[in-house]
Amino acid sequence: MAIQMSSELLDGCVLTILDKEDYYGYALTQRVQGTISVSESTLYPVLRRLKNNQFVTTYDQPYQGRNRRYYQITTQGRDRLASIRQDWVMFQANVDTLLKER
């Protein structure tokens, strides 16, 4: 059985990847799927939500006669990522405490 990932953690995963470099949609989904089990159809709504909240911005680049839409983290996105990381540290410590109880 897999543990459900919250939307906040998924946002944090995507923002962490984009904090290192810009990605186009398909490459970003492949990068996330290489680490955690999540469907492609789950990630595009995440990207739309992050864009609507101004945590990421997009730009298009031509590639083999088509455009690729790249996602880039914003300053607000970096602030949000810092908040998610801080929340994660506290959450992880609390869960670890509970799971280690006998």
Side-chain angles (χ1 to χ4, degrees):
M1 179 171 113
I3 295 175
Q4 247 351 52
M5 179 172 272
S6 74
S7 60
E8 183 176 13
L9 284 177
L10 199 49
D11 289 357
C13 291
V14 170
L15 290 171
T16 294
I17 292 168
L18 293 175
D19 195 35
K20 293 173 181 59
E21 66 181 280
D22 300 352
Y23 274 83
Y24 63 95
Y26 179 75
L28 181 59
T29 61
Q30 294 299 299
R31 174 67 178 87
V32 172
Q33 289 174 331
T35 305
I36 56 175
S37 178
V38 63
S39 71
E40 189 173 322
S41 63
T42 299
L43 287 175
Y44 282 101
V46 169
L47 290 169
R48 276 193 299 277
R49 181 177 63 249
L50 291 171
K51 185 176 180 189
N52 288 341
N53 290 323
Q54 300 179 349
F55 297 141
V56 300
T57 189
T58 60
Y59 61 91
D60 293 340
Q61 291 235 322
Y63 177 78
Q64 296 182 350
R66 297 178 27 200
N67 276 338
R68 282 184 171 166
R69 174 143 303 153
Y70 282 81
Y71 294 85
Q72 181 178 52
I73 193 169
T74 63
T75 301
Q76 296 96 319
R78 284 190 177 88
D79 292 343
R80 180 67 184 128
L81 176 56
S83 175
I84 291 170
R85 285 178 170 160
Q86 184 177 18
D87 291 346
W88 171 253
V89 168
M90 289 187 299
F91 177 79
Q92 182 182 24
N94 292 336
V95 170
D96 284 347
T97 298
L98 286 173
L99 290 177
K100 291 176 183 176
E101 285 184 4
R102 294 184 183 240

